[in-house]
Amino acid sequence: MNFKSLYGLLLFLLIPWFQSDDFKVINAEMQAFDSGREESGSGINYRIKIVTNKKSSLIQFKKIWLNGRIYELKIKGKGSTGFSKGDTLLLTFTVWQPNSEHQMSVQEKEALLPELPEKFSGKNVIEWKKRRKIHFKELPEFRKLPPRVNR
């Protein structure tokens, strides 16, 4: 095996290591809900299932940009206290229907947050932090589940 072949093989084996994504989106779902009581509110729950390629000390999931608004993410399950490479995480957030003064003011505040960088459409984008640098990634369309009604 000559030097060029060895160098090519080594480069081929190292490329995935340098180009690995920080996470992979498994699915993205949304489900409308109605609590059954007017004063309890209604809205849409969003869930994003991902598999991480980095541990929680290297990346932190921050926000979701959805239809021009920003929402804070919550990590359900094991990821809420830290996660490892290869873990499956469930990221969630809720968009409340504006039927009360408190819910409306929260959504109005979210609308005042900074704009998304120009290269993204702003429809479905996740924001995360890696080594003190902010990153963005477009998400697939959310799959709509049947509404949930609590009565």
Side-chain angles (χ1 to χ4, degrees), residues 136-147:
F136 301 95
K137 181 176 187 173
E138 289 197 47
L139 295 171
E141 288 294 318
F142 285 90
R143 184 171 59 101
K144 193 172 186 177
L145 299 176

Side-chain angles (χ1 to χ4, degrees), residues 53 108 128:
N53 289 328
E108 286 171 355
W128 78 98

Side-chain angles (χ1 to χ4, degrees), residues 76-137:
K76 298 281 185 167
K78 182 179 179 182
S80 60
T81 58
F83 52 87
S84 301
K85 180 179 178 179
D87 282 352
T88 300
L89 304 179
L90 182 62
L91 308 177
T92 65
F93 66 101
T94 300
V95 176
W96 291 94
Q97 299 300 320
N99 65 351
S100 75
E101 292 298 319
H102 171 71
Q103 292 166 353
M104 191 61 147
S105 65
V106 169
Q107 288 191 349
E108 286 171 355
K109 288 178 186 174
E110 291 166 346
L112 298 174
L113 294 173
E115 293 185 23
L116 191 61
E118 290 179 19
K119 71 178 186 174
F120 296 102
S121 67
K123 187 151 181 163
N124 301 326
V125 177
I126 188 167
E127 176 184 326
W128 78 98
K129 189 175 186 179
K130 177 181 172 185
R131 296 187 182 112
R132 294 178 285 184
K133 185 176 178 188
I134 300 294
H135 297 271
F136 301 95
K137 181 176 187 173

Side-chain angles (χ1 to χ4, degrees), residues 46-71:
Y46 289 85
R47 294 179 288 276
I48 305 161
K49 190 184 287 187
I50 64 170
V51 174
T52 63
N53 289 328
K54 304 277 189 241
K55 57 186 177 177
S56 59
S57 64
L58 297 177
I59 62 173
Q60 294 98 34
F61 295 98
K62 296 295 196 177
K63 299 173 185 147
I64 288 288
W65 302 70
L66 179 69
N67 298 324
R69 295 190 182 263
I70 299 175
Y71 300 95

